[in-house]
């Protein structure tokens, strides 16, 4: 249940409500909005009577959350969540672009790609060091050496870093290098991993599973939130359908659906969503027009020789062109985006 406190509820009144809920066995998550405090009570005794809470001083109303996910729902938190990472805000007015190679392959490849995407206006470097490949014979990533390359390139370019963690044993290592921990589509329902990431205090980019409904995806986010990690970014990356022309079917309708159901920011991955380089820019433009809070795009300095996902990786010049188009689209729907290519602002390489 959600307990909405009155605007002028005192701290003592809030603490009394929390104490009662804890006494009933609930886990209480507090959300302090601009106007009032909202308490989300999850778990607990089913027979607890909400009317007893309603009678307590300072309580405005008690709402039963009918959705199976509670903390991820808008009923619990009506305002949008903004994930703050240093000077970066995901879920605010600005559309955040994350870009980089599918995998870190060499220092030269990571550096050249990072410099190119930064110049074009990306603020987060993407790149995998642990790769979830469909075949055990495909390139599996460079591990810690890859993370080192990605971190130094991100630092040199003044970027944040998002990188995938595939297993609970890798969390500590990846968290040492990355600013955002990516949970890949194949791991969306790895509940052991989700529980462990719920205990960390690093933002998590949670990709939608290849055959997951939006409700299942939000329930996976709930695992992270219930563990106490509030910094969750959802990522729509396409789902498996009967269509075989594209690698996946990018569900852009998930953007308005998620924005109605949840307060969490949502970014879109048009690279895995389409699997084809020539389809990435149209879908990226559409995602921004549909209200995505950001994009995550694969770019490679030499995609034809990429060790993974070359066919869907943009050349730096394509990415540059796409960013110029996004600078027209974002303001048309009241959003901002990194306005000028970095070199022109004089911070670039
Ligand atoms: C990736 O981002 O490179 C990746 C493997 O993504 P997904 O988990 O969406 O397939
Ligand atoms: Mn990839």
């Amino acid at each position: 249940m959600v307990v909405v406190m009155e605007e002028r509820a005192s701290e003592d009144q809030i603490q009394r409500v929390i104490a009662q809920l804890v006494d009933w066995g609930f886990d209480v998550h507090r959300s302090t909005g601009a106007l009032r405090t909202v308490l989300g009570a999850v778990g607990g005794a089913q027979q607890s009577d909400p009317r007893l809470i309603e009678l307590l001083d300072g309580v405005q109303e008690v709402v039963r959350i009918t959705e199976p996910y509670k903390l991820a729902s808008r009923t619990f938190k009506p305002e949008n969540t903004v994930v703050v990472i240093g000077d970066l805000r995901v879920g605010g007015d600005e559309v955040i672009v994350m870009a980089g190679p599918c995998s870190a392959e060499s220092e030269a490849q990571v550096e050249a790609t990072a410099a190119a995407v930064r110049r074009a206006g990306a603020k987060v470097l993407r790149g995998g060091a642990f790769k979830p490949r469909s075949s055990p014979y495909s390139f599996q990533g460079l591990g810690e050496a890859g993370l080192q390359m990605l971190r130094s390139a991100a630092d040199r370019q003044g970027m944040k870093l998002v990188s995938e963690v595939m297993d609970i044993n890798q969390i500590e290592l990846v968290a040492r290098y990355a600013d955002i921990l990516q949970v890949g589509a194949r791991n969306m329902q790895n509940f052991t991993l989700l529980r462990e990431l719920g205990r960390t205090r690093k933002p998590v980019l949670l990709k939608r599973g290849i055959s997951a409904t939006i409700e299942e995806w939000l329930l996976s986010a709930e695992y992270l939130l219930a563990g106490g990690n509030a910094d969750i970014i959802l990522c729509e990356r396409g789902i498996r359908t009967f269509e075989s022309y594209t690698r996946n079917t990018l569900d852009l309708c998930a953007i308005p659906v998620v924005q109605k159901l949840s307060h969490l920011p949502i970014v879109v991955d048009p690279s895995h969503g389409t699997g084809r380089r020539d389809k990435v820019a149209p879908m990226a433009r559409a995602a921004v027009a549909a209200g995505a809070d950001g994009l995550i795009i694969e770019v490679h300095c030499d995609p034809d020789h990429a060790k993974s996902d070359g066919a869907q990786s943009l050349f730096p010049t394509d990415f540059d062109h796409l960013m110029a188009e996004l600078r027209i689209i974002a303001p048309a729907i009241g959003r901002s985006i990194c306005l000028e290519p970095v070199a022109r602002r004089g911070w670039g390489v």
Side-chain angles (χ1 to χ4, degrees), residues 76-132:
F76 170 56
K77 184 168 182 280
E79 311 90 30
N80 290 342
T81 286
V82 178
V83 175
V84 179
I85 309 158
D87 56 356
L88 189 83
R89 292 165 56 81
V90 183
D93 287 340
E94 184 179 349
V95 174
I96 301 297
V97 181
M98 312 179 187
C102 176
S103 321
E105 299 169 13
S106 69
E107 231 156 79
Q109 169 251 10
V110 171
E111 191 56 45
T113 309
V117 297
R118 182 67 187 110
R119 232 177 358 249
K123 293 203 168 165
V124 180
L125 178 64
R126 65 141 292 147
F130 295 100
K131 297 303 302 176

Side-chain angles (χ1 to χ4, degrees), residues 26-138:
F26 284 104
D27 275 338
V28 182
H29 296 258
R30 181 174 176 164
S31 149
T32 311
L35 285 179
R36 49 173 58 91
T37 293
V38 174
L39 303 171
V42 290
Q46 291 306 314
Q47 69 276 20
S48 50
D49 186 346
R51 283 172 304 180
L52 294 173
I53 295 287
E54 245 155 14
L55 289 170
L56 295 177
D57 289 342
V59 173
Q60 183 174 305
E61 65 173 325
V62 177
V63 185
R64 278 215 181 269
I65 307 184
T66 48
E67 298 92 346
Y69 45 86
K70 312 290 178 194
L71 306 175
S73 75
R74 272 226 188 257
T75 319
F76 170 56
K77 184 168 182 280
E79 311 90 30
N80 290 342
T81 286
V82 178
V83 175
V84 179
I85 309 158
D87 56 356
L88 189 83
R89 292 165 56 81
V90 183
D93 287 340
E94 184 179 349
V95 174
I96 301 297
V97 181
M98 312 179 187
C102 176
S103 321
E105 299 169 13
S106 69
E107 231 156 79
Q109 169 251 10
V110 171
E111 191 56 45
T113 309
V117 297
R118 182 67 187 110
R119 232 177 358 249
K123 293 203 168 165
V124 180
L125 178 64
R126 65 141 292 147
F130 295 100
K131 297 303 302 176
R133 306 306 302 281
S134 300
S135 161
Y137 308 117
S138 304

Side-chain angles (χ1 to χ4, degrees), residues 254-309:
I255 302 166
V257 172
V258 162
Q259 286 171 342
K260 185 171 163 62
L261 298 175
S262 178
H263 50 86
L264 295 173
I266 175 168
V267 306
V268 169
D269 174 347
S271 308
H272 295 86
T274 63
R276 301 169 75 110
R277 188 179 300 146
D278 58 335
K279 307 293 179 281
V280 170
M283 290 296 95
R285 297 193 298 258
V288 171
D293 295 302
L295 295 167
I296 178 162
I297 299 180
E298 287 185 342
V299 180
H300 195 290
C301 54
D302 182 12
D304 293 337
H305 295 99
K307 291 197 172 152
S308 60
D309 286 349

Side-chain angles (χ1 to χ4, degrees), residues 170-201:
Q170 297 161 357
I171 296 177
E172 198 255 300
L173 175 69
V174 180
R176 232 185 293 142
Y177 292 94
D179 302 293
I180 307 172
L181 304 175
Q182 175 174 324
V183 174
R186 291 155 193 83
N187 263 327
M188 189 205 82
Q189 288 190 314
N190 179 340
F191 301 117
T192 320
L193 180 63
L194 297 177
R195 273 194 200 285
E196 221 32 61
L197 287 170
R199 278 195 263 276
T200 71
R201 291 296 168 267

Side-chain angles (χ1 to χ4, degrees), residues 196-334:
E196 221 32 61
L197 287 170
R199 278 195 263 276
T200 71
R201 291 296 168 267
K202 278 266 172 164
V204 172
L205 180 87
L206 178 64
K207 289 196 150 193
R208 181 177 181 182
I210 54 176
S211 60
T213 63
I214 291 174
E215 187 170 293
E216 288 165 339
W217 187 18
L218 291 175
L219 277 167
S220 291
E222 187 79 10
Y223 268 88
L224 298 164
L225 295 165
N229 191 342
D231 293 326
I232 312 304
I233 304 163
L234 298 168
C235 176
E236 163 60 41
R237 48 79 73 203
I239 46 176
R240 189 69 66 82
T241 68
F242 51 81
E243 179 52 65
S244 58
Y245 185 83
T246 48
R247 181 176 177 185
N248 291 293
T249 297
L250 187 65
D251 179 13
L252 290 184
C253 202
I255 302 166
V257 172
V258 162
Q259 286 171 342
K260 185 171 163 62
L261 298 175
S262 178
H263 50 86
L264 295 173
I266 175 168
V267 306
V268 169
D269 174 347
S271 308
H272 295 86
T274 63
R276 301 169 75 110
R277 188 179 300 146
D278 58 335
K279 307 293 179 281
V280 170
M283 290 296 95
R285 297 193 298 258
V288 171
D293 295 302
L295 295 167
I296 178 162
I297 299 180
E298 287 185 342
V299 180
H300 195 290
C301 54
D302 182 12
D304 293 337
H305 295 99
K307 291 197 172 152
S308 60
D309 286 349
Q312 67 194 31
S313 298
L314 297 185
F315 287 92
T317 45
D318 301 330
F319 181 67
D320 217 22
H321 189 206
L322 170 62
M323 288 298 290
E325 293 173 329
L326 298 179
R327 285 186 192 100
I328 299 167
I329 296 168
I333 57 150

